[in-house]
Amino acid sequence: MSYYHGIKTSEQATTIKPAVNTEGCLPVIVGVAPIHLATDPAELNTPVLCYTYAEAVAAFGYKPNFGDYGIAEAIYTFFSLYGVSPVIFVNVLDKSKHKMAVSAAQLVVTDHTVTIKADVLKDTLVVKSSEATLAVDTDYTASFDDDGSLVIALVSSSSHYSDETLTVSYDKIDPSKVTTEDIIGGIDAETGKEKGLEVINTIFTKLGVVPGMIGAPGYSDNAEVAAVMASKAASISGLFKAVSIIDGSTTVAKKYTDVYEWKNKANITSKYQVVCWPMATMGTKKLHLSTVFMATQALLTYENDDIPYKSPSNKTAQIDGICLSDGTAVELGLSSANYLNGNGIVTAINLFGGWKLWGNNTACYPTNTDPKDRFFCVRAMFNWDQQTFIRTYWTDVDQPMMKRYIQSIIDSENIRMNGLVSSGVILAGSCEYREADNPATSIVDGISHIHKTFIPPVPNREIDVVYEFDSEQYAALMTA
């Protein structure tokens, strides 16, 4: 050691670890997008994190045809109606497969333009005048209008500018060819790339964020899709948990009394599922209630410091009605809505100041009454806290198994729990290393068991007030 005379300083790592920031209820939408309208199209079966409407539209396109394009519906709901972000989108529509050819047809030119009300793939467009094939950008331009229709405009400098008819052929997107198998996905046998819902397992490694809610509007009422969604939600990347938000069928279950039977037949009974019924309306648009639920929850979580401890039930829903998929209006009173809630189904009602989501229970209710499983907000809190714990202490894995390392985790976590209690987010929480849970056989195998208690508040779903007429006080007042 070299000779030193004076004062010197050094630093060591802080024993108490601050918690990492996590996404309280980050929504993921797997579905179909009008990708032919995108200016910077996202890759097929690739998760894209979008913070703005412009980002989402550039990556996935937008067309107000929500019956065909669930991702367009989600873009409208999250960004336009609720103004909440970010959202992760995964498009499964394959332009090379989900399409159909349209034979050549003669169209009348009006004001030097022809409008095609179809989802045209521009790179397949062939425009002819008599027997001559017109050149794009020389004889004509082709662009999409706000409704997604293709407008062919003849160029004034072209010799075809005054043509009265054009013969046009093209391929067009056919979203009806997207199947439940495309949504479910899996691993591509040729490329080894994840597809559909399987992509969810790649989100953390690709984007560094963790899904909190999973939706597939337009497909989640399929029993197999719903089951796979629950499976993915229960184990994301083998580490994290989320909740899948399911739509109850409005074609099989057309009355509120039919939904419970549909739910049971479809075996939608997981604590990692929330069932929403029926659909919702906003103006002339029909929205899946699952999308509305996810947007409402995302906004509520954002407003509460990204901690999902409040229930979205009885919170304002940006809708003006509820309906079946065919547009038939649904009327639900409080007793009808409560019947749905009592069977583990979330709905919406119009009481005391406009439309509200109504229901706290996940799909496991009424079979499972464990508060951490049945109440959505409590389930979301357990998912959130486990996510936070994993991401905060991951670097402690493979550190030397010594008491001071374990104690630093315990101390850090108890400080965090005390902070959550002080801020009114949870009622109590503690973390401890118990000798009884850690036998020598586990210790020498490099396994430490930590016990944690965690008590988020349950929603006050019923307020029961007893009124009494006090006759004795009445008599006293009369004789006073």
Side-chain angles (χ1 to χ4, degrees):
M1 182 177 180
S2 61
Y3 178 81
Y4 180 79
H5 184 194
I7 299 174
K8 63 180 179 180
T9 63
S10 63
E11 295 183 5
Q12 68 179 39
T14 305
T15 303
I16 304 300
K17 288 192 176 184
V20 299
N21 292 324
T22 60
E23 300 73 36
C25 271
L26 179 63
V28 178
I29 303 293
V30 178
V32 179
I35 198 70
H36 62 293
L37 300 176
T39 57
D40 184 19
E43 290 186 26
L44 178 68
N45 288 306
T46 299
V48 179
L49 182 65
C50 298
Y51 283 88
T52 66
Y53 176 88
E55 276 183 308
V57 171
F60 297 98
Y62 179 80
K63 185 174 183 177
N65 179 5
F66 299 161
D68 288 335
Y69 299 116
I71 287 181
E73 174 196 329
I75 289 173
Y76 168 78
T77 304
F78 281 96
F79 295 111
S80 297
L81 285 184
Y82 282 82
V84 63
S85 67
V87 185
I88 296 174
F89 299 103
V90 180
N91 171 57
V92 304
L93 186 143
D94 186 345
K95 292 191 296 182
S96 67
K97 182 174 70 171
H98 303 127
K99 65 178 182 177
M100 65 178 295
V102 177
S103 302
Q106 193 176 74
L107 303 177
V108 176
V109 177
T110 303
D111 293 331
H112 311 289
T113 63
V114 168
T115 299
I116 302 174
K117 296 184 180 297
D119 294 334
V120 179
L121 289 168
K122 282 204 301 182
D123 57 358
T124 68
L125 182 67
V126 177
V127 180
K128 294 184 177 181
S129 176
S130 298
E131 296 302 319
T133 300
L134 277 60
V136 65
D137 295 330
T138 299
D139 296 312
Y140 72 93
T141 60
S143 59
F144 293 104
D145 63 16
D146 291 341
D147 293 325
S149 298
L150 185 72
V151 179
I152 300 171
L154 294 170
V155 176
S156 59
S157 59
S158 170
S159 60
H160 298 281
Y161 183 63
S162 299
D163 285 358
E164 296 181 353
T165 61
L166 294 174
T167 301
V168 180
S169 63
Y170 53 86
D171 289 347
K172 71 174 184 177
I173 292 291
D174 188 357
S176 68
K177 291 186 176 181
V178 177
T179 65
T180 55
E181 286 74 20
D182 293 309
I183 297 294
I184 292 168
I187 304 296
D188 189 287
E190 294 182 4
T191 65
K193 189 178 188 301
E194 295 82 1
K195 302 186 297 182
L197 289 166
E198 193 65 32
V199 173
I200 290 169
N201 279 329
T202 72
I203 288 175
F204 180 61
T205 53
K206 286 183 177 180
L207 302 176
V209 294
V210 180
M213 298 181 290
I214 301 168
Y219 295 90
S220 64
D221 61 348
N222 176 276
E224 187 179 2
V225 172
V228 174
M229 290 172 69
S231 174
K232 298 306 174 189
S235 179
I236 297 173
S237 301
L239 294 170
F240 309 110
K241 298 180 179 69
V243 179
S244 55
I245 314 301
I246 309 297
D247 283 299
S249 173
T250 58
T251 55
V252 176
K254 296 189 175 183
K255 303 190 299 291
Y256 76 92
T257 50
D258 297 334
V259 187
Y260 180 57
E261 181 181 0
W262 169 86
K263 174 175 175 273
N264 281 347
K265 283 185 176 179
N267 197 32
I268 300 176
T269 56
S270 169
K271 63 185 178 182
Y272 300 113
Q273 294 171 316
V274 170
V275 178
C276 301
W277 187 92
M279 295 186 71
T281 60
M282 174 52 79
T284 59
K285 298 178 175 68
K286 288 184 293 186
L287 309 172
H288 290 91
L289 196 59
S290 65
T291 312
V292 174
F293 181 99
M294 294 174 75
T296 304
Q297 175 62 21
L299 180 61
L300 181 65
T301 304
Y302 170 79
E303 292 173 341
N304 288 279
D305 297 323
D306 203 29
I307 303 176
Y309 72 100
K310 290 187 178 180
S311 171
S313 182
N314 205 21
K315 304 300 187 296
T316 298
Q318 298 296 341
I319 62 177
D320 60 13
I322 53 177
C323 69
L324 303 179
S325 57
D326 63 8
T328 302
V330 174
E331 301 290 338
L332 284 181
L334 182 60
S335 60
S336 304
N338 285 347
Y339 172 83
L340 291 170
N341 291 175
N343 288 297
I345 299 154
V346 174
T347 188
I349 57 173
N350 189 357
L351 287 177
F352 302 108
W355 284 94
K356 306 286 200 315
L357 289 177
W358 195 251
N360 293 294
N361 293 317
T362 65
C364 74
Y365 188 80
T367 304
N368 183 348
T369 58
D370 187 329
K372 74 176 179 61
D373 298 333
R374 65 167 286 202
F375 289 122
F376 169 76
C377 57
V378 179
R379 179 70 263 157
M381 280 295 286
F382 267 76
N383 293 352
W384 169 81
D385 195 69
Q386 290 170 43
Q387 177 192 142
T388 304
F389 190 99
I390 291 168
R391 296 181 68 180
T392 301
Y393 303 109
W394 187 260
T395 55
D396 287 290
V397 174
D398 291 334
Q399 291 286 5
M401 193 169 175
M402 300 169 67
K403 185 175 181 180
R404 67 187 181 93
Y405 279 114
I406 301 298
Q407 193 60 46
S408 70
I409 296 175
I410 301 301
D411 292 344
S412 300
E413 196 62 8
N414 280 324
I415 289 172
R416 190 173 75 87
M417 289 297 101
N418 290 338
L420 292 177
V421 172
S422 298
S423 60
V425 171
I426 63 173
L427 300 177
S430 65
C431 191
E432 60 179 323
Y433 179 87
R434 304 190 301 196
E435 289 187 14
D437 297 336
N438 290 274
T441 52
S442 292
I443 293 173
V444 298
D445 197 25
I447 301 171
S448 58
H449 296 280
I450 294 175
H451 186 82
K452 184 172 179 181
T453 59
F454 185 64
I455 311 176
V458 303
N460 188 182
R461 69 177 184 89
E462 179 178 339
I463 301 174
D464 189 358
V465 181
V466 177
Y467 279 81
E468 178 184 1
F469 185 90
D470 191 336
S471 57
E472 291 185 2
Q473 185 177 0
Y474 186 22
L477 290 170
M478 293 297 293
T479 58

